[in-house]
Amino acid sequence: MSDKVLIIEDEPTLARLVTYNLSQEGYETEVVGNGAEGLHKAIHDHYAIIFLDLMLPGMNGFEVLQKLRQNGVKTPVIILTARNAEEEVVQGLKLGADDYITKPFGVAELLARTSAVLRRSRNEESMPSKASAGDKVITIGDLQIFPDKYEVFSNGQWITLRPKEFEVLLYLAERPGIVITRDDLMNVVWGFDYIGGQRTVDVHVSSLRKKLELNQQTVQIDSIRGVGYKLFINRKTSSPSR
């Protein structure tokens, strides 16, 4: 059975372009031209991936994305945005988008991003869950990190992280005190075939940092201007790591 794709786009020419090229690759496509209808279909039907224009009539793409995630819809979303619209991209990623494409875009980029997002989504769906005795664990500061289970606990309390946030944390936690460049994080967490910019890394690190600060005080992530990030333990509030 072919993957079913929902395209929420009000510009007919662009919708036809996306539809035609995805159909040529074997995807089954469905197009809607407004946010409200797109939201309804995304909630009540099953799609492998959603393409979401941000500037929609009535309910805009930001509202659609926010309501999707609030309703527990985990379908990967690629947002469609205008060139040089960095603020839109950042807001979309913060609301739970998986990737973005700036208009105008080429066929090769469209297909590459679609394939990469679907591959990452399926890898994440196959991850085991629920930590149990005997699992590999990394203890650093207040945190217990279970690499095989994609779970993080602080003093026994579960910290909810998105898969990419977890992978960023794990990579930094395995190298405490070492400055990790954005390129390193991009290649390790998103893969060499990821076409997005380094801003994606910054958005995920920012979200991860806020969750860590909310749940515990010992493990912190420091920004190294122009280079990347470093995870460290705040010795003023922590006991030595084990």
Side-chain angles (χ1 to χ4, degrees), residues 13 24 61-62 88 100 123 131 137 208:
T13 301
Q24 290 297 301
F62 296 116
E88 291 182 0
Y100 64 93
N123 288 340
V137 59
L208 172 60

Side-chain angles (χ1 to χ4, degrees), residues 21-92:
N21 287 291
L22 290 179
S23 298
Q24 290 297 301
E25 292 296 310
Y27 296 99
E28 179 185 349
T29 61
E30 184 173 356
V31 178
V32 296
N34 65 80
E37 183 181 359
L39 176 64
H40 178 81
K41 286 185 173 294
I43 291 177
H44 294 95
D45 203 348
H46 176 74
Y47 298 92
I49 192 168
I50 297 170
F51 287 88
L52 175 63
D53 184 27
L54 293 179
M55 299 296 105
L56 294 167
M59 180 183 294
N60 65 41
F62 296 116
E63 296 174 284
V64 173
L65 183 55
Q66 185 174 37
K67 291 182 182 297
L68 280 177
R69 298 315 188 212
Q70 288 174 345
N71 280 273
V73 177
K74 298 180 180 179
T75 306
V77 173
I78 296 179
I79 56 176
L80 305 175
T81 183
R83 190 175 298 279
N84 299 323
E86 182 179 358
E87 291 184 2
E88 291 182 0
V89 170
V90 171
Q91 184 177 353

Side-chain angles (χ1 to χ4, degrees), residues 176-212:
I178 298 175
V179 178
I180 307 298
T181 68
R182 289 177 174 83
D183 282 340
D184 285 341
L185 285 171
M186 179 73 73
N187 292 335
V188 170
V189 176
W190 281 268
F192 288 97
D193 61 348
Y194 182 67
I195 310 174
Q198 292 183 346
R199 187 59 175 163
T200 301
V201 176
D202 295 336
V203 170
H204 281 76
V205 171
S206 176
S207 176
L208 172 60
R209 181 187 283 134
K210 290 177 182 178
K211 291 179 180 180
L212 292 180

Side-chain angles (χ1 to χ4, degrees), residues 121-177:
S121 174
R122 284 162 181 161
N123 288 340
E124 290 162 4
E125 287 176 356
S126 65
M127 295 170 190
S129 61
K130 295 190 178 180
S132 59
D135 289 329
K136 177 183 176 182
V137 59
I138 296 173
T139 301
I140 182 167
D142 288 341
L143 298 182
Q144 285 187 307
I145 304 171
F146 293 83
D148 297 333
K149 304 298 184 182
Y150 273 64
E151 293 188 345
V152 181
F153 293 86
S154 175
N155 297 317
Q157 298 297 313
W158 183 38
I159 301 178
T160 303
L161 299 180
R162 291 184 294 173
K164 287 294 177 281
E165 292 171 347
F166 178 89
E167 291 174 23
V168 169
L169 174 61
L170 178 61
Y171 193 72
L172 293 173
E174 290 176 333
R175 298 158 181 82

